[in-house]
Amino acid sequence: MASSLVPSPSTSFFHTTKRCHKHASRKIYCSVAAPQQTQRTPSTTGSVKTAMTMTEKIMARASEKQQVRPGDNIWTNVDILMTHDVCGPGSIGIFKKEFGEDAKVWDREKVVIIPDHYIFTSDERANRNVDILRDFCNEQDIKYFYDIKDLSNFKANPDYKGVCHIALAQEGHCRPGEVLLGTDSHTCTAGAFGQFATGIGNTDAGFVLGAGKLLLKVPPTLRFVMDGEMPDYLLAKDLILQIIGEITVAGATYKSMEFVGSTVESLNMEERMTLCNMVVEAGGKNGVIPPDSVTYKYLEGKTSVPYESVYSDQQARFLSGYRFDVTKLEPLVAKPHSPDNRALARECKDVKINRVYIGSCTGGKTEDFMAAAKVFLASGGKKVKVPTFLVPATQKVWMDVYSLPVPGSGGKTCSQIFEEAGCDTPASPSCGACLGGPKDTYARMNEPQVCVSTTNRNFPGRMGHREGEIYLASPYTAAASALTGYVTDPREFLQ
Amino acid sequence: MAFFSSTATVPQNLTFVSSNKLSFSPSSTTSFNFVSFPSFQSKFCKTITSSPQITRAHAPPTPSTETTTASSFHGLCYVVGDNIDTDQIIPAEHLTLVPSKPDEYQKLGSFALIGLPDSYTVRFVESGETKTKYSIIIGGANFGCGSSREHAPVALGASGAAAVVAESYARIFFRNSVATGEVYPLESETRLCEECRTGDVVTVELAENRLINHTTGKEYQLKPIGDAGPVIEAGGIFAYARKTGMIPTR
């Protein structure tokens, strides 16, 4: 651990260095305390190297440099480029315009194309956009294209996956030490695998399609140390809402967020993905979690591409550090209309709600549905008081919801528990209403309503209607709220 | 990439010089803002030097010639607050429009900032219009936060905005602005969103890093562009990469 961090006793949350200012500057500066380094003369070592953080190491390796520092602008080799139906067509357009109509992508095995945003809609342009992806993949012989043709029945499409970030993980495209870029802000989700993963726009993606590399600035790293046994009413969503509420929506702008500590180590991969997923909501460039046995176990059988994990050096410099004892935290929500508008769930118990949405890359994974089912189960057979929309992120998640037994239920599946609780039938996997979408998107908010959602953003109009009010929450909190019709702390049912 | 100066003093029969990346063909039907400029300009005698060069990322390709950079922007400003996220700049339902298709590019422009709440009583693009009368957007902190959608700076540029002057930016939006050349992303030293009002006439002098509000008579310091400078000066990421030999020239 960097010497700039000093553990402190009983406070539940504090940070050791100066509070991040709301208006984050893009300038890079050193950490508060200089790291202790052994004084060695150059002649004895041949070179003097400064310790690096995990993000710096990944970027150094990807740019074939021995050493990089925060602030360096480097040409970085890309291991995987991901795009989807919303940004793919535009990226392809730029690629063709700049590299030529007959140009070939830099590596047909490193481009992963995943339709997921506007799929189950009658919107002609949306459907056309998937066709554009297909034409390109045929022309370029793209190895990984998770196509969908039959919109009336997602199961009739053997290749179709669903939400890109979850598909990337499930299909083994996320590997420690690599660089993954995607035309989506939540590409940072993949940082859970100990890789550098960040979102880019169409022009940058068009560039990568042809060149296989991109000019990137090395970010300094903020370190978040989470220790303590995770209480059984908290989920990773609560942890990241805590952090965003603390540092604000611009607190990590141009920075990397590294998550370490015994609590992080105890999280499974999907929970780690949730943590890294909302890094962008704090303005963060990327998030990283050191790979360990949990990572390797998840990766077993998913990829045959060799990978090499990297870890922050002992003496690495961090911009600042935050430490918290998770046993002191409580279930949270982010109130309208900002992900940093943090509040305790229990303090919002008078907020009447109209609907609950459980889905998206943030809160629509298998573990998220298992968590929601756990609350419904613990309620002893209560029924939801408001329409409760369930949108599994991918085909695999959908299948898990219908096949995996929920612990303590006597063999029931999530789908059975959801049905008994009166939830809507789990829908076709996609990004769904997380970002509104075409007007006929399932569960889109077309009227000004109050919604508790396991998604990632709640800016005005995010789920459709400009005056809709979205409370971001964990799957536990979302399920508890569905049962009461008000924003509800899940301890009402879990304890 | 070059950014035009939107002033009615520039003649209508402009010769458009094109860059090797972003350009309008001289035969382009979009002669944009120059046609529909508001009448206020006759009241303000300040004329700004500008390059006749207009470059936009998604225009049809043309033979390459030299770029020249604009030295200033001039026009009405539109003021927004903090944390204007990409859903407010271009709501998700419009993302089926593909920016690299010229007609869809124009449509995106007509929806620029349509997601702003009703508390913004003056709309950025009047209903029924496809272009804005505001060439400079003045924002608060964390402008462009949220999604990575490049449709956001594209919509602003397609609507006719030339520059954004914000207190600070979210990184993907800033990057996309630089990469596309759609809007020039400038940073102010102070909270201009509290000093200026929608409809004020402003000039941005790039070389001097200065914003002049003609309506209030005040001047403000802007921050230098920083690391993005060489990329913008080269004409965008593709031009920069060709210039530095990272990708072959066409």
Side-chain angles (χ1 to χ4, degrees), chain B residues 18-42:
Chain B
S18 51
S19 79
N20 59 359
K21 179 202 175 208
L22 320 154
S23 55
F24 268 130
S25 73
S27 58
S28 167
T29 51
T30 33
S31 52
F32 56 117
N33 305 9
F34 290 59
V35 186
S36 56
F37 244 65
S39 58
F40 78 93
Q41 297 213 326
S42 55

Side-chain angles (χ1 to χ4, degrees), chain A residues 26 73 97-98 118 125 128-129 184 198 201-204 215 217 435 439 457 462 466-467, chain B residues 21 57 85 87 92-93 96-97 104 114 118 141 147-148 150 171 175-176 187 227 242 246 250:
Chain A
R26 283 201 314 286
N73 285 286
K97 183 178 155 205
E98 293 295 337
Y118 303 155
R125 265 203 306 262
R128 169 209 66 178
N129 289 345
D184 193 273
T198 194
N202 297 359
T203 301
D204 280 338
L215 186 65
K217 181 143 93 177
L435 70 161
K439 294 258 169 29
R457 287 202 272 265
R462 174 67 181 172
R466 265 219 306 255
E467 278 134 58
Chain B
K21 179 202 175 208
D85 78 298
D87 274 292
E93 65 194 280
T96 50
L97 297 163
E104 296 185 18
I114 206 168
D118 292 336
S147 164
S148 66
E150 199 165 90
R171 63 159 283 268
R175 229 194 128 86
N176 288 345
E187 255 183 303
D227 285 358
R242 289 189 182 105
M246 286 312 280
R250 294 195 63 188

Side-chain angles (χ1 to χ4, degrees), chain A residues 35-64:
Chain A
Q36 264 111 47
Q37 291 196 355
T38 325
Q39 293 307 309
R40 291 173 296 188
T41 55
S43 60
T44 58
T45 61
S47 66
V48 176
K49 270 207 251 182
T50 317
M52 291 192 283
T53 65
M54 204 164 137
T55 293
E56 288 156 27
K57 277 192 180 174
I58 296 169
M59 295 184 80
R61 200 163 73 182
S63 60
E64 294 162 38

Side-chain angles (χ1 to χ4, degrees), chain A residues 192-209:
Chain A
F193 290 86
Q195 62 178 143
F196 178 86
T198 194
I200 57 174
N202 297 359
T203 301
D204 280 338
F207 186 91
V208 176
L209 278 171

Side-chain angles (χ1 to χ4, degrees), chain A residues 62-107:
Chain A
S63 60
E64 294 162 38
K65 289 182 184 334
Q66 288 285 333
Q67 174 91 54
V68 297
R69 287 187 178 76
D72 288 350
N73 285 286
I74 52 172
W75 285 102
T76 312
N77 294 327
V78 178
D79 293 291
I80 297 280
L81 174 74
M82 181 280 295
T83 190
H84 48 53
D85 55 299
V86 166
C87 295
S91 305
I92 291 166
I94 291 169
F95 166 71
K96 284 180 176 278
K97 183 178 155 205
E98 293 295 337
F99 289 101
E101 278 299 319
D102 298 326
K104 293 285 172 225
V105 299
W106 100 97
D107 190 324

